[in-house]
Each structure stands twice: as structure tokens, then as C-alpha cells.
Amino acid sequence: MDHAEENEILGATKRYYVERPIFSHPVLQERLHKKDKVSDSIGDKLKQAFTCTPKKIRNIIYMFLPITKWLPAYKFKEYVLGDLVSGISTGVLQLPQGLAFAMLAAVPPVFGLYSSFYPVIMYCFFGTSRHVSIGPFAVISLMIGGVAVRLVPDDIVIPGGVNATNGTEARDALRVKVAMSVTLLSGIIQSTVAVLQNVKNLNVCSLGVGLMVFGLLLGGKEFNERFKEKLPAPIPLEFFAVVMGTGISAGFNLHESYNVDVVGTLPLGLLPPANPDTSLFHLVYVDAIAIAIVGFSVTISMAKTLANKHGYQVDGNQELIALGLCNSIGSLFQTFSISCSLSRSLVQEGTGGKTQLAGCLASLMILLVILATGFLFESLPQAVLSAIVIVNLKGMFMQFSDLPFFWRTSKIELTIWLTTFVSSLFLGLDYGLITAVIIALLTVIYRTQSPSYKVLGQLPDTDVYIDIDAYEEVKEIPGIKIFQINAPIYYANSDLYSNALKRKTGVNPAFIMGARRKAMRKYAKEVGNANMANATVVKVDAEVDGEDGTKPEEDENEIKYPPIVIKSTLPEELQRFMPPGDNIHTIILDFTQVNFIDSVGVKTLAGIVKEYGDVGIYVYLAGCSAQVVNDLTRNRFFENPALLELLFHSIHDAVLGSQAREALAEQEGSAVPPQEDSEPNATPEA
């Protein structure tokens, strides 16, 4: 039996019947009893905060140093093989990416190796994700490179008269300083939030090598993607490209014979710690903020995705602390800003990595290169690294394929995409990001100012209420209009909400009042008594719009509030002067999709209740969340207790309540009135 047949049988055979009172807000509150919440005194809270117990100390250590929790529980026989294979696979990929992404960061390649080692070790101690691969990331490296090249351009003149074009080492040293400063500041920003190459000359040989490696990498990645289910681990194409490129370059002496740019000297050993130049902070703080935001966003997104897949949780706040420490402490060892690498994380997870130990093992492979084998890669053509960079940016270029999708589904998201692209292209990644965030916030405001308004109807013989314009079976209930908004009601859209209510329902109190006045004038004109017409109009105005009807009357024992709804029925002889239309007696506002309402929205709502009440129409609120009820209470909407009677648990409760009220009113109206010794209303003499 397929799903469609199962649904058909279910719909035809199963019914549910519910018998309960109509739940207005007061009736429902009578059925409910709030739980007593004992609030601790300030002294107890301070005592609890500063009390030091072994359990509390242990939890704090677990929180800020996650390795103390997962390492003692490490299942050696079960995890070690997966972590070992995953660490080797990730390390093989991390080596070429570290060298390549250093070029994007505009620093010598060896600093890419440093950035692939120190932060990974620190993340192993402080990070909560078991599968993300921390280290150089293409986008972050591009942002670092943008700052370095802006502050230390190729044609900068070094103090002392040495031109950087001829003094590459001096220029690179300054760029490393800039990278260290940005990295330190971005790390400080992340930690603080948690706690509270240009190609100058065209070389045909270099171009040929780059294109050949690019083609091999592109084809190899497609092969990995197509056969990923059958391969035990992705083929480490970047590593093979580095090994082959280095071998060919050294064997044919491409640097000397064909002037092919190569990586050059990779000094062995680790550099001693150095203090970043904090005097550059005022020049790079905007870039540091952008890098901190992008780095955390990428990391937490991938971490949560992999955590959900494997059934564990990551702590976003602790991830901020971990990234902040990786960047700020790493900058002392001359690393540049790092983040989660998407491609390496997928490799680490796909090859069986179980814990953070896999990343630690990968970093040890980088340490081996730094300490012993780095000189082997000095002949590596830079064109190979360029090809690796471009292939790893393939995912970014493929995002252009999202444009048709956004065009079909969401013009707003398409606007954000295009604005981000254009601003990043012309303003740089940092200011492009800031522009994108501002545009995104503006679109949020636009969406709340332009929500979806719907008039709902009933699916006959059910308690289901849906858009009347969308389905033929849905019918409006006589005398009742149900109006829905799918956004909060606040200062930016409250007037729009009021106008949309009148427009969509077709019930405008001002028009109703005007029609009644016009009918009275026509009737008075017909009977030839203008004085009566003026008196009648003035009388109705006083009853409906007068100030006396809005203020409570204070008695000795209680405050008497005016009626919420003024029921004024026109005499039968005046009805023929009224324009044809629906006899609406109730407006139901569906608040099921309203998550908050501010003080301006409450005032607007109070105005709606009074405006419709003045022409004899009740306004009910249905499906209010506890938050909305609290907002209404806090802003004194229920100052008149009778307004609580307008709240209903659901749309269906409001509909039944309205129908019961009208039935009772009709019953009372049909009762025989007692005889009174009073003269009938005077009528004009013929």
C-alpha cells in the first residue's frame, strides 16, 4: 500500500470528536492552574554563583576544556583506526592547501604550514566538534590577503630607500606583520563575543603547468564525487599534484631553464613567538570584524551539520572561544586567520574520523614537513598551488547556478545574492560583507512591513480555517470575517495592518458610519423635517464618537468602563436607505502567526477594537501565544477587564463564541417587551 492510498483510507475511515466548552481566555484560565515558581533571593543566587563544589569545578573544566571530557572516554580499539586513517587523509590534503592558501593570504608558503599546525593543535583542546578540520580556508585567506596587499602593496617603499619590488623579503615580512595583527584582533573579537597574488608576467611554461594540473584536479574531483560510495577514501589529488609538480619541476629544472616561479625556500624548524604589531589595529579593525564573523559562521555551520549527522551536539559559544584562542594565540607564532575548511572536514568525516584526535594527527604530518621534509617542496611550481586554489574555489563559482533558482523562488534572496557579489567585487570582501549584512537586515524590515494578509474561511463541517482565495471548497461564515497576518505587529507595520484589515475584509467602520449618516439625512429629507435630521445625526455622533464614551466612570465602589461595542440598530424605515452589503457582526483576528506585538501595535489594536465597536462590530483575537498575551497585558490593553472576553483559544472557539452571542441576542430581541406607559417617538405631522 502506497502513501497516497494510506492517506485516502485514513481520511475516509478515521474521525475524531471533541466535546469541550468554548474557550474564551477567562474560561480557559479557570481550567488552568499556574505552577508555583519559587524565586531565589539575591543572597541565594550570589551564594549559588560563588559556591565552589567539585561538581561545579568539573563542569567548568569540561565546558572550557572539552578535551578533558572526551579524551578519558576515548574508546581506543573502536576509534583509533578511524582517527588514524582520517588524520593521514586529512593531513595529505592539508599540506597542499596550506601552501596554496598562503598565496591567497599574500604571505610566504611556509606560513600556511604554520597556520595548519598551531591552530589545529589548540582546537583539539578547546573545540567541541569531532569532525571539522581547522586550518587555512580559501575565503578567509582571501580576506587576509586583501588587507595585506592594501597596506603593503607591491610598489611600497621600505624605510631606508629599499624598493619592495627588489626587496621581496622585506615586503613579505611587512605583510606577515599585517596578517599577524589582523589574526590577533579577529581572535580577540571572537573570544570577546564568546565571553560577553597577482600574476605579474605571463609565463607560457607556468601557464601550461597550471592548466595541466587544473584539468587533472578538476577531473579527479568529479571522479571522487561520482564514485564516493565505492571508494574507501577520496583520492588525495592535491597531494599527488604537489608531489608530481615538485618532481617534474626539479627534474627539468623549470625555474632555471624556463623562469617558472616556484615556492622557494622553506626554512626548517619552528619560528620563535613574536608580538604582533598592535599599532596596526586602527587600520585593520573593520577587516578583523568581518574575518571573525565569516570564520565563525563557516565553522559553526559545518560543525552543526556534521554533529546532527552523527548524533552529538556542539557548543556555539565554546566554538567561538576555541576559534578566538586559535587565532589570538596562533598569531604569536606567526599564523594567519583560520577557520573550518569545508573540503577537509568532509574528508575527515568521510574517512572514518571519530574524534578531534584525527585533526591532531593531521597536524603532526604538517609538523613533520616543517621540521624535516620542507626542503623537498622548494621546487614546487606556484602554478600548481594556483591550480589547487582555483579548484577549491569551484564551489564558490558554482553558486552562480543558484541564480535561476532564486529568480523562481525568492526575488529578495536574489537581491541579497547580487548585492553581496557586486559589493564584494568592487568594495572588497570586508566591506562587501558589511554591505550584505545591512541589505539582509533591510530585507527583514521590508518583509515585516510587507507580510502576507489573508481572509480565512471554513472547510465545511470542520474546525479547519484556510485561505478563502486559494480553495474552492472553503466558505466564509455569514456575518464573520477572519483576518490573518504572518508577521509580528510593531511600529513599522501597525498602520499597514490596520489598512490591510479594512481593505481585505471590505469592512471599513468609517464607510459604515458615513452610510448611516447619509441614510438618516435621506430619510429626514423625505419626511421633510431637516431639524429632526440634524438632531438625529448629532445624537448618533455623540453616542458613537463622543469623548464620554471612551472614559471610565468612577463610582464609589468600582470603576465603570464604557461598553466595548455600541449596538445601534437603525429603524426599519431607514434600512432601505442603506447601501447593500454584508451584515458583518464579528471580525476575528487570527494571531497564531504573530510572535510579538509592541506598544505601538497594541495602541493600533486598541484603536481597531474601538473603531469597529463604535459601529456595533465585535473584534475577537484568536490563537494568541503566551508571549503576545504578556505583551498585551504589559501595555495595558486589558485595562478594561471586559476586553479579556475578546480573547479565544482558537479560531473555531471565536467562531462558536460569536455565533452563540448572536443567537442569544436574537433570542433576547424576540422576547415580548414589557408594556410601558410612555408615548411613542414623535413623528412629523403630515
Side-chain angles (χ1 to χ4, degrees), residues 95-361:
L95 170 62
Q97 287 192 356
L99 295 171
F101 294 163
M103 294 179 60
L104 292 180
V107 296
V110 70
F111 292 94
L113 298 181
Y114 299 153
S115 301
S116 300
F117 171 66
Y118 289 109
V120 181
I121 294 294
M122 282 183 285
Y123 186 85
C124 183
F125 284 84
F126 297 101
T128 60
S129 176
R130 305 172 191 172
H131 296 97
V132 297
S133 176
I134 294 297
F137 178 53
V139 176
I140 300 295
S141 300
L142 275 172
M143 298 175 77
I144 290 286
V147 186
V149 173
R150 186 183 78 233
L151 297 182
V152 187
D154 290 338
D155 57 354
I156 189 174
V157 177
I158 307 297
V162 180
N163 191 294
T165 305
N166 301 319
T168 305
E169 292 183 3
R171 180 203 64 191
D172 289 346
L174 289 177
R175 287 181 176 176
V176 169
K177 273 191 173 183
V178 173
M180 290 170 60
S181 298
V182 178
T183 301
L184 175 61
L185 187 54
S186 65
I188 291 174
I189 291 170
Q190 289 170 329
S191 299
T192 302
V193 170
V195 176
L196 294 170
Q197 239 107 287
N198 302 326
V199 179
K200 303 175 192 174
N201 301 302
L202 179 61
N203 184 291
V204 177
C205 186
S206 296
L207 181 61
V209 171
L211 290 176
M212 179 181 68
V213 174
F214 176 77
L216 291 174
L217 290 176
L218 200 58
K221 282 191 174 291
E222 292 298 325
F223 180 86
N224 278 340
E225 182 65 25
R226 179 168 297 185
F227 296 100
K228 62 182 178 181
E229 301 296 335
K230 298 180 180 180
L231 293 172
I235 300 173
L237 300 165
E238 287 92 343
F239 181 75
F240 289 150
V242 167
V243 172
M244 291 174 58
T246 302
I248 293 173
S249 176
F252 291 95
N253 197 15
L254 297 182
H255 179 58
E256 298 293 338
S257 302
Y258 300 97
N259 198 28
V260 172
D261 290 334
V262 296
V263 168
T265 303
L266 290 175
L268 295 180
L270 298 172
L271 296 177
N275 292 325
D277 189 356
T278 57
S279 64
L280 297 174
F281 278 5
H282 71 286
L283 298 175
V284 300
Y285 70 92
V286 174
D287 307 273
I289 293 172
I291 289 169
I293 294 172
V294 173
F296 172 70
S297 301
V298 172
T299 301
I300 195 62
S301 176
M302 178 57 80
K304 286 187 175 181
T305 299
L306 295 176
N308 291 336
K309 181 178 179 180
H310 291 275
Y312 66 93
Q313 291 185 336
V314 293
D315 184 345
N317 196 62
Q318 183 60 30
E319 289 298 298
L320 259 180
I321 293 175
L323 288 176
L325 291 175
C326 289
N327 281 324
S328 55
I329 297 177
S331 67
L332 303 177
F333 297 92
Q334 305 183 47
T335 67
F336 54 83
S337 290
I338 52 86
S339 179
C340 161
S341 168
L342 307 184
S343 59
R344 291 198 309 272
S345 297
L346 294 176
V347 169
Q348 182 170 318
E349 183 264 343
T351 52
K354 302 295 184 183
T355 66
Q356 292 91 322
L357 191 60
C360 194
L361 293 173

Side-chain angles (χ1 to χ4, degrees), residues 478-670:
I480 299 176
K481 291 284 186 179
I482 306 171
F483 184 68
Q484 182 189 73
I485 181 178
N486 66 341
I489 302 174
Y490 68 119
Y491 69 92
N493 68 356
S494 57
D495 286 340
L496 299 174
Y497 176 74
S498 178
N499 295 335
L501 169 64
K502 297 167 185 175
R503 184 181 69 253
K504 294 284 287 187
T505 61
V507 182
N508 191 322
F511 293 167
I512 295 174
M513 184 66 64
R516 288 179 180 177
R517 291 171 179 167
K518 188 177 294 185
M520 292 174 185
R521 290 192 179 97
K522 286 183 178 179
Y523 174 70
K525 184 178 181 180
E526 183 174 283
V527 299
N529 192 336
N531 292 330
M532 187 194 73
N534 292 331
T536 305
V537 172
V538 170
K539 181 180 180 181
V540 173
D541 287 345
E543 289 178 353
V544 177
D545 296 328
E547 292 294 331
D548 294 337
T550 63
K551 296 180 180 178
E553 299 178 2
E554 296 188 8
D555 202 350
E556 292 182 357
N557 299 323
E558 61 178 354
I559 298 176
K560 295 182 179 180
Y561 290 90
I564 298 172
V565 176
I566 300 175
K567 299 296 289 185
S568 57
T569 55
L570 293 177
E572 291 185 3
E573 59 268 21
L574 293 184
Q575 292 290 346
R576 59 192 177 92
F577 294 100
M578 291 292 292
D582 297 332
N583 185 20
I584 302 299
H585 53 74
T586 305
I587 299 285
I588 298 176
L589 304 181
D590 178 17
F591 270 35
T592 53
Q593 299 183 37
V594 177
N595 53 10
F596 76 88
I597 179 170
D598 72 353
S599 59
V600 178
V602 171
K603 290 180 181 178
T604 300
L605 185 61
I608 290 173
V609 172
K610 181 183 184 303
E611 198 174 1
Y612 280 96
D614 287 348
V615 294
I617 297 176
Y618 284 84
V619 176
Y620 286 170
L621 311 182
C624 293
S625 66
Q627 176 63 49
V628 171
V629 175
N630 289 337
D631 291 340
L632 293 171
T633 304
R634 188 171 60 251
N635 288 284
R636 303 177 66 184
F637 179 78
F638 301 116
E639 187 176 12
N640 181 353
L643 288 171
L644 285 168
E645 301 288 344
L646 304 182
L647 261 66
F648 286 84
H649 179 65
S650 68
I651 297 176
H652 198 56
D653 284 302
V655 170
L656 295 178
S658 172
Q659 292 174 334
R661 185 200 70 234
E662 290 299 309
L664 181 62
E666 185 177 349
Q667 182 180 354
E668 292 176 350
S670 62

